[in-house]
Amino acid sequence: MLEVSKLIDAKEYLSHHSVVLFDLDDTIYSEKEYVKSCYAEIACHYPEIKNMAKKLWDAFKRGEKAIDYVLQNEGLLSSENITNCLNIYRSHQPKIAPYPDAIKLIDQLKKDGCRLGLITDGRPDGQRAKIKALDIEHFFEKIIITDEFGSIDFRKPNTRAFEEMHDFFNTNYKDMVYVGDNPAKDFTAPEKLGMNSVCFKNSMGLYF
């Protein structure tokens, strides 16, 4: 496994593979910015709570169940308000942008003839909204959101998404490489299958 602190530093290594697969969250964009975008949208629906977005973010950073915590502190905790906030969180159109290095790398790899794919876990509606907001769909020949297989059991480190990519691109596993940021789950499956991998040591990542 190659480890890099800047994605662009992996360019030469990645270019030696015919297929490059990318993770999404905290690899192509900042998941912190996504969470902040969600909280900002929730706050718009609760103008009676002063500085709600900041209160949610501060609670999240402390490890609290942010929505429950803030609603309770503001005297608004109810199943209806919790459900409403969660629906806003999951369905809003996020205001996020890709990492400049990520786009530069992906664009260069595509121009160099590498075939590109994307594998990400998460609720399909939320992940599709992220992909749309980032305007990156056109870079990838195939995008797999593992939850669309029908169960969270197919999330990484399950091998199914990587096996489907292998079949789609019709190449050897050793000619494929996965780029991700989470050593706890991103690399188990590709390494088990004989793929190579690049770990983006994202110091600004949500769970770093």
Side-chain angles (χ1 to χ4, degrees), residues 7-8 10-11 14 19-25 27-28 101-110 114-121 136 139-140 142-144 156 162 165 169 177-181 186 195 198 200:
L7 275 179
I8 200 66
K11 165 67 169 59
L14 293 172
V19 175
V20 182
L21 307 177
F22 283 86
D23 173 46
L24 180 62
D25 301 321
T27 298
I28 292 178
D101 262 11
I103 292 301
K104 182 178 180 181
L105 174 62
I106 290 168
D107 187 51
Q108 288 182 357
L109 290 171
K110 194 170 183 68
C114 292
R115 303 181 70 187
L116 306 180
L118 181 73
I119 296 175
T120 181
D121 297 332
I136 57 173
F139 285 115
F140 302 104
K142 186 171 181 64
I143 293 174
I144 292 178
K156 296 170 286 185
F162 298 92
M165 286 293 192
F169 287 107
V177 58
Y178 188 59
V179 183
D181 70 292
D186 280 344
M195 291 173 53
V198 171
F200 174 31

Side-chain angles (χ1 to χ4, degrees), residues 25-151:
D25 301 321
D26 271 340
T27 298
I28 292 178
Y29 81 101
S30 169
E31 195 167 4
K32 286 180 180 177
E33 295 307 308
Y34 174 74
V35 174
K36 289 179 180 178
S37 175
C38 294
Y39 289 161
E41 184 65 22
I42 291 172
C44 289
H45 290 75
Y46 290 86
E48 67 271 32
I49 301 180
K50 187 177 180 180
N51 297 321
M52 187 181 188
K54 183 178 187 304
K55 290 175 180 176
L56 286 165
W57 178 246
D58 288 344
F60 177 83
K61 288 193 296 182
R62 292 194 303 270
E64 306 281 359
K65 291 183 68 176
I67 291 171
D68 297 42
Y69 179 88
V70 171
L71 289 175
Q72 183 172 32
N73 277 3
E74 299 292 331
L76 293 171
L77 184 63
S78 68
S79 58
E80 181 181 356
N81 278 333
I82 290 172
T83 299
N84 185 47
C85 288
L86 289 176
N87 286 338
I88 294 167
Y89 190 107
R90 293 167 179 166
S91 65
H92 93 294
Q93 292 302 310
K95 296 178 176 62
I96 52 176
Y99 291 128
D101 262 11
I103 292 301
K104 182 178 180 181
L105 174 62
I106 290 168
D107 187 51
Q108 288 182 357
L109 290 171
K110 194 170 183 68
K111 288 178 178 176
D112 288 346
C114 292
R115 303 181 70 187
L116 306 180
L118 181 73
I119 296 175
T120 181
D121 297 332
R123 291 175 174 271
D125 52 352
Q127 298 306 96
R128 291 288 175 188
K130 293 173 186 177
I131 292 166
K132 181 179 179 181
L134 295 167
D135 191 25
I136 57 173
E137 186 171 5
H138 60 284
F139 285 115
F140 302 104
E141 292 185 44
K142 186 171 181 64
I143 293 174
I144 292 178
I145 299 172
T146 57
D147 287 33
E148 291 181 339
F149 290 139
S151 167

